[in-house]
Amino acid sequence: MKLPHFDYQAPASLDEAVALLVAGDGGARPLAGGQSFVPIMAFRLAEPSMLVDLRKIPGLDQIEIGDEGVRIGAMVRWRDLLDDARLASALPLLPAAIDHVAHYQIRNRGTVGGSLAHADPAAEMPTIALTCDAVIDVIGSKGKRSIPAADLFTGPLMTSLDSDEIITSVLLPAWPASRRWGFQEFSRRRGDFALAGIAVFYDEDASGVVANAHIGAISVGDTPLRLSKAEAALNGRKIDEATLAEVAAVASGEVDPNGDIHASARYRKALVGTLLSRALSAAANRKA
Amino acid sequence: MKPASHHTQNSYVGGHIERVEDYRFLRGEGQYLDDVSRPGQWQAAFLRSPVAHGRIVKIDASAALALPGVHAVVTANDIEGEIPTIPFRRPNPTIGPYAQPIIARDKVRYYGEPVAMVLADSAELAEDALGVIVLDIDTLPPVIAREAAMSDKVLLFDEVKTNVPTVFNADKGDAEAAFAAADYTIRDQFYTQRQTALPMETRGLLAEWDAKLGKLSVSGAAKLPFFNRKAMAKMMKLPEEAVDYIELDVGGGFGARGEFYPEDYLVAFGARKFGRPVKWIEDRREHLMAIGHSRECSSDVELAFSKDGVILGMRGSLYVNVGAYVRPNGMTPVRNAAQFMSGPYRVPAIHLDAYAFVSNKTPAGTYRGPGRYEGCFFIERLMDQAAAGLGIDRLEIRRRNLITHAEMPYPLATVLPSDGRAETQCDSGHHLEPFELVVKDSNWAEKAALQGKLIDGRYHGIAIGSFIEGGASGPQENVRMELHADGKVGLYAGSSAIGQGLETILSQIAADALELPMERIEVFHGSTTYLKEGWGSFGSRATVMGGSAVLDAAKKFLAAFKIHAAARLGVTIEEVTVSEGVARTADGRSVPLAEVVKDGINVDGSFKNQTPTYTYGTSFAHVAVDAGTGHVEVIDYVVADDVGRIINSMTLHGQVMGAAVQGFGSVFSEELVYSDEGQLMVGSLADYLVPLASDYPVVRCHSLESYPSPTNPLGAKGAGEGGIIPVGGVVANAVANALSSFGVKPNVLPLSPSRVWEMIEDARAKA
Amino acid sequence: MKIELEVNGAAVSAEVTPRMTLADCLRHELHLTGTHVGCEHGVCGACTVIVNGDAVRGCLMLAVQAQGAKVTTVEGLSLEEGLTPLQQAFKHHHALQCGFCTPGMLTTLHALLTDEPEASEERIRDVISGNICRCTGYVPIIEAAMDARASYQQSRGDK
C-alpha cells in the first residue's frame, strides 16, 4: 500500500499555494494534516499530480475568540482545540465533539480545515460546522469568499470548493453562556467512525421553554445533516420525557441512512432518536 | 499428583520469569522480515483477482513491463507444465482435487486469488505496475452461501461434481437410541462468522537462489519451517537439503501465519528464475483477502437429556465454509468442530456430520482454537437453553455433566474419514475444580441476583461455561544441544517462535535440567539449518513437545559431560557426579563445564508423542447491555484453566488473557463480510474491528496444575489457545441472560450493536 | 528530494521521493527498523514516532514533511545499554509478546507521559486505543504504563 507518485510543494504563502493549484489544473490537491487523505492515497483511491502542503503558510494555526464567535484557522489541529481551555466556555460543544475524533496520534496532526474540505459525513467537524451555522472562509484564484456551512457540503466527500480553493478559517458564531447543548456519538470502538452521532444546542427562557434549537446528525446521510423537523418539534417545548420521546421519533423519521457492514439502516435510523434523546437529556440536566 | 520429575537445584520451571526475548524487542532491535534486505533485491507485488469467480481471458502486462524499474511479470504461463498445488498437512481421501494451485491459470475462484506477480526495484514501482496490467476475466456466477454451494448447481471444480470435499462423521455410542430414550431434547441453529487471526506483522518472504550450489533460501518462516521446506522442495522439484527455511522474529501467528501460501512458491520461483533475491511484504489490504480465514460455521445441533439434567446424547450437522480451495490445514476446523463439540461434558452418545463446502471466498485455514471455539459456542448455548427448559440451575446442570478425574482418560468421539487422528481422549483432569474456582471467584452467588436486571438503563447478565483445549500436537520434536566455546549451551530447537516466548520457556526447562543459570542457555529456533528435522509451533505444541525434547537432550548432554570429565579426572564415569555445571569426584576434585569445551558436546534430543494433551477450564462473564444502542459492556471476565504443569506463570497468563481478548473480538466485532457477488467488503483495519485498549479492561486469569499430563515428562499441556475457546458461548449466554425478559436467542455471531439492538426490537415487536 | 532532519538527537539527511512516508524513510533510508509498519493506513499505531514532541503516525506523514523536524524513534528512547523505566515496566508486566506493536506503544506512551506524567488509567487506555496489540489483551500494557508514570513524574520534578 505504497503511495502513488505525486509532486510535492510546500509554498510559503496562500497566493503561491493557489497559483500551484491553478497550475495543477484540477490534479493538484492541498495537503493539510493528511490524516484522511494519505490513507486514501495509500489505497490508491486518489492519485493527485501534486500535493500542495500548507504547513509553511503563516497565520492558519490561530484560534481567535471574540465578539463574533470562535474563528479557527484551517491548520489548527484537533489537539490544539482540546488543549485550549477557553473553548470550554466559548464553545463547549466543540471540544465535546472533537474528543471523539480518531485517536491521540491522529489528533496531533489532523486539522480543522482538512476535515471540512474532506467533507466526510461520518466525521465530527463538518456536522459541528453545520449545526453551529458556521461560515467557512476560503481563498482561490477568484479571490476570497465566505461559504455558509450549509452550502459547503454537497455529497459524500464532496464540497462546493473549486479545485483551486483553499479553506483558510472557519467562524463558529458566538455562543451565549446560558446556552444548553449535548453531544452524543456511538461508534463500534473508541475512535472509529460514528454509526451515528448527534450535536444539539438550544436556548431557553426562564421557564425552560426551548428556542433556537439546532440539531445536527453525523453519519446518517451523504452529507452532515441538520434535522429541521426535530428542531421544529423541539422549539417551544420544555424538556421532559414526552418531549424527548416525541423529538426522538421525529428525528428518527427524518433521516434515511444507508446500511453497511457495520450496522443496518434500520438500526442507524433508530440510533439517531436514541442519541438525540440522550443528548437533550444531558443538555437539560447539565448544571449551568 | 506431580509427575516424577528430574531433580534440580534450579526452579525456573513454574516461576514467574521475565522473558529473555523482551530486551531486543523493547529496544527496537527485533529483526522481523521487512527489517532484512539484500543488495540487488527485487520486490514482488501480486495482481489479484478482482472478482470471486471467473475465467481468465487475457492478461496483458506490456504496459507494466514498459515502466522503468519493472523487471518481470510472472503469470501462470511462466510455470512449466502443471501448476503445482499446495500439499495438505492433514490429507484425507477426498480432498485431493481441491488443493490450491499456486497461481490461477484458467479460472479464478476467489476475490484476491493471485493471477500475476510483478517484480520491480521497489514496492512502490511494483504496485504502480499492478495498476496498468490489463486483466480480462469473464465472470461466472459466484457461489457464496451454504445453500448455493451445497446445491452443486454451480460447481467450483467441474471435474469433481460436488462442492463438498468431505463430510466428517463424529461418532460415539448410539446417538439414535439416546434420543429415543430422552426425557428432554433441545435443538437449535447457530452461526459463527468468518474471521481471521490478524497477526500485527503481515506475512513476508525473502527468497534467495544460489545458482552455484543449487540452493534456495527462504526467510520469513514461521510455525512450520520443516513441513514447508518439504512442500517447497517437492513443488520446486529440488532435493529437500537444497531448501533452507530461515526464521526471524515473527510478529504473531495465531494459527494463520506460517502455513504454505501461494505467494511462498511464487516469490521463490521468481528468485530462482531470475537469480535475484526477491522480497515480498504483504500489505494489510491484501492480508485480509489472502491469509487464511476461519470460523465460518453454521450448525443445527441437538442435545438429549434425562429429566434430571444428565446429557444422554448429541446429534446434528455442522457446515463449514472452507472457501475456494482446501488449504494445507483447511479441514482442521471442520473435523475439530465435530470432535470437540462435546468439550468438557460427558456425552455418552454422539453422532455429528460435519460438512466442509467450498465457495468463492478466500480459502480457510486455522485460527486459534480452530473448531473448538465454534463447538463450544454451540454446546454452551444449548446447555443454557436446556437448563431453562428443564428448570435446573445453570451451575447445577453443568456440575452434573462435567467430566471428572475418575473418568480419565476420557475418550471423545471418533472422527472419520481419518486425517491421522481419528481417535483421541482427554488425558487427565477434574473439570469441576476450575469450574468451582470460577464460581467462587466470580462471586456468582451474589451476582445471580443481577440476572436480567435493568440497572441505570442497562440489562445485566452473567454466564459460565467450560472448555477443553487440545495441545501437544505430534508426532515428534527435536532439539540439539551444543556446548559453545564461551561455555554457554546452545539449544537448537525444531520449534518455532511466533511471539509466544519460546526462547524463555525452553531456556527455563534447559536451565533446570542442566542445573545452569538461564543466562548460560542460548536458544536458536525455527530455521531448518539448525536441525535435520523438526516440526514447529502449531496446535499448542512447542512447550510440551519442544520442552520434552529438551529434557531428553539435557540428559544426554550431562552424560557426555560426565564422560569428558571422567577422562580428564582419570576416573570411571560412575565415580563422577554432576551438579550445577561442575563434575566432581568423591575426593573433591572437579571439572567445570567450560573446561570440556575442547572435547566438544553436541547431542540430539527428541520427544515422540502422538497423544495430545487437553488443558481444560471454565470462564465466566458478566455483561451489561444498553438496549438503546445494542452495546454490550463486559464488566467482569474470569477464566481458570488447568495446564497440567505451569512452566512460566507470566507467559501462561499472557497467553490466556490475550486469547480471551481476541475472543471478545470474535464475539462482538471481527467479521469478514462478503457481498452477494463475492467481494470482500472488509479491506482495512478500520473495517476489521479487533479489540482496542479501551474496549475490554477486565480479564482475570487463574491457572492450576492439579492434574499433570501423563503423556510427557514435564506433565505439561498445551495452553496457547484455550483462552479464546469459551468466549463465544459464555458471552452469548451472558447476553441472553441479560436480555432474558425479551426472550432473545443470541445464536448468530458477532453480537454487533446493530444485531443486539435488532434482536431486542424484534422481540419487542413480537410481544 | 533531499531532506535534513534530526533523528534521535543526530542531524541526518536522506534522499527521498515525495511519496515516501516518514515510516518508510526511517526504516529503509535511515535503517532504523525499530519503527514497524503494520497497516500503512493510519489505524494500527505500530509506526508511531515522536515528531517535535508529538506522537504521530509515521505512515500518515510524508518524509518531506519532516524537513527540519526533530524525530524520536524507539531506538532514540533506548539507553546505550539496559532498559529505561518504561521498557523495564513492559518487561516486568509482560506487556509484550510478539513485540511487533511494542515500539509504537513505547513511543506513544513516552510522548503521553512526558506531557502528562499524572495521566489516569482511563486517559492511558484512551490514548493507547490508537495502538493495536493482538497478543496481550492490553491489560498488562496499561499496568506497565501506570507503573512507569513514577519515573516520568520524577524526571519532570528534576527539571
Side-chain angles (χ1 to χ4, degrees):
Chain A
M1 293 177 62
K2 302 302 176 192
L3 304 180
H5 172 82
F6 52 81
D7 292 328
Y8 173 87
Q9 292 288 337
S13 73
L14 282 168
D15 288 347
E16 284 175 69
V18 169
L20 286 164
L21 292 176
V22 171
D25 197 20
R29 292 281 300 257
L31 178 67
Q35 303 299 284
S36 297
F37 194 61
V38 174
I40 283 176
M41 289 193 292
F43 283 99
R44 300 209 177 199
L45 299 172
E47 302 199 18
S49 58
M50 175 186 283
L51 290 183
V52 179
D53 193 342
L54 308 180
R55 71 188 170 92
K56 288 185 184 167
I57 298 171
L60 299 180
D61 58 354
Q62 300 299 307
I63 303 171
E64 293 162 27
I65 299 175
D67 292 345
E68 56 169 4
V70 178
R71 181 172 292 281
I72 305 169
M75 293 295 278
V76 168
R77 306 169 305 161
W78 308 122
R79 197 254 174 91
D80 303 323
L81 292 177
L82 293 170
D83 283 352
D84 193 324
R86 299 173 301 167
L87 291 172
S89 54
L91 195 67
L93 177 63
L94 181 65
I98 298 315
D99 194 43
H100 291 262
V101 173
H103 297 105
Y104 183 68
Q105 298 94 331
I106 301 276
R107 295 199 290 263
N108 278 332
R109 284 193 63 77
T111 65
V112 169
S115 177
L116 291 170
H118 186 53
D120 190 329
E124 290 78 7
M125 192 64 212
T127 294
I128 291 299
L130 183 68
T131 307
C132 294
D133 297 322
V135 175
I136 292 93
D137 280 5
V138 306
I139 187 167
S141 60
K142 291 184 201 127
K144 293 180 180 176
R145 62 178 178 135
S146 296
I147 310 173
D151 298 335
L152 180 67
F153 308 111
T154 56
L157 311 188
M158 290 190 287
T159 65
S160 55
L161 294 172
D162 288 337
S163 64
D164 61 22
E165 282 184 317
I166 297 167
I167 294 175
T168 54
S169 71
V170 54
L171 176 69
L172 297 148
W175 181 277
S178 60
R179 181 165 280 175
R180 294 208 163 264
W181 62 275
F183 184 86
Q184 289 279 322
E185 180 179 306
F186 185 72
S187 56
R188 292 193 68 180
R189 301 174 305 182
R190 179 75 178 93
D192 282 345
F193 283 114
L195 297 181
I198 288 288
V200 58
F201 69 81
Y202 59 85
D203 300 317
E204 60 184 1
D205 67 14
S207 63
V209 172
V210 171
N212 192 31
H214 282 58
I215 304 173
I218 297 174
S219 206
V220 286
D222 286 347
T223 62
L225 297 179
R226 276 287 285 275
L227 305 185
S228 53
K229 288 179 186 165
E231 289 172 356
L234 183 58
N235 282 327
R237 300 278 297 262
K238 286 187 181 181
I239 305 283
D240 55 25
E241 286 300 317
T243 304
L244 291 182
E246 190 186 315
V247 175
V250 171
S252 256
E254 75 174 302
V255 297
D256 185 19
N258 292 321
D260 62 17
I261 62 169
H262 295 301
S264 65
R266 178 187 165 212
Y267 169 80
R268 280 209 162 95
K269 206 170 162 63
L271 189 58
V272 164
T274 300
L275 296 179
L276 177 56
S277 168
R278 291 179 184 185
L280 284 171
S281 214
N285 293 323
R286 184 175 293 108
K287 292 200 177 91
Chain B
M1 292 306 302
K2 304 265 184 214
S5 73
H6 49 288
H7 173 79
T8 68
Q9 303 295 313
N10 289 337
S11 53
Y12 291 118
V13 169
H16 184 89
I17 307 290
E18 292 182 9
R19 301 195 322 166
V20 298
E21 294 88 341
D22 290 356
Y23 186 78
R24 66 175 186 273
F25 291 153
L26 286 162
R27 294 168 52 87
E29 292 166 354
Q31 195 172 52
Y32 301 83
L33 194 272
D34 194 31
D35 302 342
V36 178
S37 288
R38 299 281 185 254
Q41 79 186 8
W42 289 353
Q43 199 96 22
F46 290 93
L47 184 70
R48 298 175 181 279
S49 174
V51 301
H53 199 191
R55 283 190 193 285
I56 299 173
V57 179
K58 188 182 78 179
I59 305 172
D60 179 356
S62 51
L65 287 165
L67 293 175
V70 175
H71 300 293
V73 177
V74 174
T75 68
N77 291 335
D78 295 292
I79 313 282
E80 286 170 33
E82 289 281 295
I83 303 288
T85 57
I86 303 172
F88 301 109
R89 290 221 351 255
R90 302 196 185 277
N92 78 47
T94 54
I95 53 178
Y98 301 88
Q100 177 159 20
I102 50 80
I103 194 165
R105 170 165 277 168
D106 304 316
K107 230 179 168 190
V108 290
R109 293 187 176 86
Y110 66 96
Y111 171 82
E113 181 166 5
V115 294
M117 174 177 71
V118 173
L119 298 173
D121 281 336
S122 71
E124 286 86 345
L125 294 172
E127 282 189 45
D128 293 348
L130 294 183
V132 296
I133 297 176
V134 179
L135 174 60
D136 188 0
I137 295 180
D138 271 353
T139 57
L140 292 166
V143 178
I144 304 304
R146 171 178 135 199
E147 295 69 26
M150 293 189 59
S151 76
D152 287 336
K153 278 184 193 143
V154 176
L155 292 169
L156 263 70
F157 301 85
D158 297 324
E159 59 282 13
V160 270
K161 309 291 180 215
T162 173
N163 290 328
V164 179
T166 305
V167 184
F168 291 99
N169 307 120
D171 279 290
K172 182 178 177 179
D174 185 344
E176 291 318 302
F179 274 82
D183 297 320
Y184 172 85
T185 61
I186 176 76
R187 174 180 173 178
D188 215 338
Q189 293 78 43
F190 304 97
Y191 175 76
T192 52
Q193 83 281 13
R194 183 169 270 249
Q195 295 169 58
T196 190
L198 207 99
M200 286 317 296
E201 184 198 13
T202 56
R203 289 183 296 143
L205 295 155
L206 172 61
E208 296 163 87
W209 174 252
D210 185 328
K212 262 190 223 144
L213 298 175
K215 278 200 88 162
L216 176 69
S217 165
V218 183
S219 298
K223 186 177 180 177
L224 294 153
F226 292 91
F227 175 87
N228 287 355
R229 168 171 70 168
K230 278 194 194 81
M232 181 73 87
K234 185 175 161 222
M235 295 160 78
M236 283 269 170
K237 300 189 174 70
L238 288 169
E240 215 175 291
E241 313 80 74
V243 180
D244 282 335
Y245 263 71
I246 310 296
E247 183 181 279
L248 305 167
D249 284 323
V250 175
F254 316 118
R257 182 203 204 81
E259 294 289 347
F260 201 110
Y261 288 97
E263 299 87 357
D264 299 33
Y265 180 89
L266 291 169
V267 168
F269 175 86
R272 187 178 179 185
K273 183 174 165 87
F274 299 103
R276 287 289 191 125
V278 175
K279 181 167 161 182
W280 171 62
I281 301 297
E282 183 183 51
D283 71 38
R284 188 56 75 179
R285 175 182 44 181
E286 67 182 338
H287 177 89
L288 289 165
M289 64 178 87
I291 201 168
H293 294 178
S294 205
R295 297 266 203 271
E296 187 177 357
C297 179
S298 54
S299 69
D300 181 351
V301 284
E302 190 173 15
L303 282 179
F305 287 86
S306 69
K307 63 179 180 309
D308 50 0
V310 174
I311 301 173
L312 303 176
M314 175 168 82
R315 66 183 176 191
S317 301
L318 313 173
Y319 306 90
V320 181
N321 187 332
V322 299
Y325 300 99
V326 177
R327 276 185 172 166
N329 64 349
M331 287 292 144
T332 301
V334 190
R335 51 93 56 226
N336 277 7
Q339 189 160 50
F340 299 109
M341 188 180 144
S342 63
Y345 299 113
R346 186 186 309 108
V347 184
I350 298 171
H351 177 80
L352 292 172
D353 298 315
Y355 296 81
F357 66 88
V358 291
S359 72
N360 293 118
K361 292 187 180 180
T362 296
T366 50
Y367 171 37
R368 206 173 201 173
R372 298 177 171 94
Y373 167 93
E374 297 91 310
C376 186
F377 171 62
F378 305 152
I379 197 167
E380 289 297 348
R381 283 291 299 128
L382 289 176
M383 289 298 283
D384 263 25
Q385 295 188 62
L390 285 159
I392 300 173
D393 177 71
R394 289 190 289 160
L395 297 182
E396 196 48 42
I397 197 168
R398 288 178 168 81
R399 287 181 180 127
R400 290 175 196 177
N401 291 290
L402 286 169
I403 307 164
T404 62
H405 175 51
E407 298 163 86
M408 294 294 171
Y410 181 85
L412 300 173
T414 300
V415 175
L416 296 173
S418 175
D419 61 352
R421 40 177 186 167
E423 293 179 353
T424 191
Q425 53 189 26
C426 293
D427 51 338
S428 67
H430 188 63
H431 287 259
L432 286 166
E433 189 183 7
F435 181 82
E436 298 299 349
L437 194 162
V438 169
V439 169
K440 190 157 176 273
D441 186 66
S442 65
N443 206 4
W444 180 281
E446 210 167 285
K447 285 203 164 172
L450 294 174
Q451 300 181 75
K453 255 204 181 155
L454 182 61
I455 303 166
D456 294 335
R458 296 190 304 170
Y459 295 90
H460 287 249
I462 59 172
I464 195 166
S466 297
F467 65 95
I468 59 170
E469 169 190 7
S473 296
Q476 182 170 341
E477 194 54 272
N478 296 341
V479 302
R480 189 162 59 80
M481 234 180 227
E482 188 182 300
L483 183 57
H484 286 174
D486 58 1
K488 288 187 177 176
V489 178
L491 177 58
Y492 299 84
S495 312
S496 297
I498 43 180
Q500 79 279 48
L502 180 80
E503 293 166 33
T504 304
I505 296 289
L506 295 186
S507 296
Q508 286 178 260
I509 295 169
D512 273 9
L514 295 172
E515 301 183 15
L516 291 173
M518 265 176 75
E519 297 73 39
R520 285 187 63 185
I521 314 292
E522 281 184 297
V523 179
F524 304 86
H525 51 76
S527 295
T528 57
T529 47
Y530 297 138
L531 294 166
K532 281 203 192 75
E533 180 72 295
W535 276 265
S537 294
F538 51 90
S540 290
R541 70 189 304 278
T543 297
V544 174
M545 299 298 293
S548 295
V550 168
L551 292 186
D552 184 48
K555 218 181 281 172
K556 292 171 180 161
F557 186 94
L558 292 176
F561 179 29
K562 263 190 189 176
I563 292 169
H564 295 316
R568 283 174 179 263
L569 294 163
V571 298
T572 65
I573 298 163
E574 290 72 29
E575 290 172 272
V576 178
T577 56
V578 170
S579 73
E580 299 187 7
V582 181
R584 290 188 175 82
T585 56
D587 58 7
R589 291 181 298 143
S590 66
V591 175
L593 182 59
E595 249 175 57
V596 305
V597 164
K598 266 187 236 139
D599 304 329
I601 301 181
N602 193 341
V603 298
D604 291 315
S606 70
F607 181 65
K608 286 192 173 100
N609 176 28
Q610 291 284 18
T611 314
T613 61
Y614 288 93
T615 284
Y616 60 95
T618 296
S619 81
F620 162 90
H622 171 192
V623 303
V625 184
D626 179 340
T629 60
H631 179 253
V632 180
E633 183 188 350
V634 179
I635 289 179
D636 194 15
Y637 189 84
V638 184
V639 56
D641 60 356
D642 189 318
V643 299
R645 186 166 184 214
I646 298 167
I647 307 297
N648 186 335
S649 57
M650 192 169 78
T651 60
L652 172 61
H653 281 174
Q655 289 290 315
V656 175
M657 188 176 291
V661 172
Q662 278 188 4
F664 294 141
S666 301
V667 180
F668 292 119
S669 57
E670 296 176 28
E671 184 170 19
L672 292 162
V673 183
Y674 279 81
S675 72
D676 294 342
E677 293 75 39
Q679 201 87 9
L680 180 59
M681 305 296 282
V682 175
S684 80
L685 292 188
D687 284 332
Y688 193 75
L689 305 179
V690 300
L692 303 180
S694 44
D695 289 334
Y696 309 107
V698 184
V699 178
R700 299 184 289 128
C701 314
H702 304 280
S703 295
L704 301 166
E705 46 183 355
S706 300
Y707 296 88
S709 174
T711 67
N712 65 81
L714 287 164
K717 300 181 177 187
E721 304 173 73
I724 202 169
I725 293 170
V727 184
V730 171
V731 169
N733 278 338
V735 170
N737 182 245
L739 301 176
S740 52
S741 58
F742 300 97
V744 306
K745 291 206 288 184
N747 291 357
V748 174
L749 298 181
L751 298 176
S752 63
S754 182
R755 177 166 285 129
V756 170
W757 177 85
E758 277 163 33
M759 284 194 302
I760 297 169
E761 280 303 297
D762 291 347
R764 276 179 174 150
K766 259 189 233 161
Chain C
M1 303 170 81
K2 190 177 174 187
I3 57 166
E4 290 178 340
L5 64 164
E6 185 186 309
V7 178
N8 299 331
V12 297
S13 66
E15 194 58 45
V16 302
T17 57
R19 63 163 146 176
M20 183 180 287
T21 64
L22 177 58
D24 277 351
C25 174
L26 290 167
R27 289 179 49 74
H28 301 306
E29 299 301 316
L30 300 172
H31 307 292
L32 292 166
T33 54
T35 298
H36 294 158
V37 172
C39 75
E40 296 183 290
H41 54 269
V43 182
C44 81
C47 65
T48 302
V49 293
I50 303 169
V51 177
N52 297 332
D54 295 335
V56 306
R57 306 258 202 238
C59 73
L60 296 190
M61 183 165 172
L62 305 175
V64 288
Q65 294 183 294
Q67 164 67 38
K70 285 186 183 175
V71 177
T72 306
T73 69
V74 66
E75 290 92 342
L77 297 185
S78 302
L79 308 168
E80 278 295 304
E81 250 183 77
L83 299 175
T84 66
L86 178 63
Q87 290 166 332
Q88 189 60 51
F90 263 61
K91 186 165 188 270
H92 183 67
H93 288 277
H94 192 29
L96 68 158
Q97 288 181 29
C98 81
F100 197 78
C101 74
T102 308
M105 291 286 177
L106 293 170
T107 46
T108 303
L109 285 168
H110 180 76
L112 172 70
L113 296 177
T114 301
D115 276 3
E116 304 172 36
E118 313 283 345
S120 66
E121 180 177 334
E122 194 191 348
R123 171 69 173 155
I124 291 168
R125 276 197 177 278
D126 185 42
V127 166
I128 283 299
S129 72
N131 295 63
I132 297 175
C133 169
R134 192 60 163 162
C135 295
T136 64
Y138 304 104
V139 173
I141 294 175
I142 306 301
E143 287 170 357
M146 291 297 285
D147 230 21
R149 292 187 316 171
S151 71
Y152 287 90
Q153 290 160 5
Q154 177 82 40
S155 50
R156 172 167 279 195
D158 290 345
K159 272 175 197 166

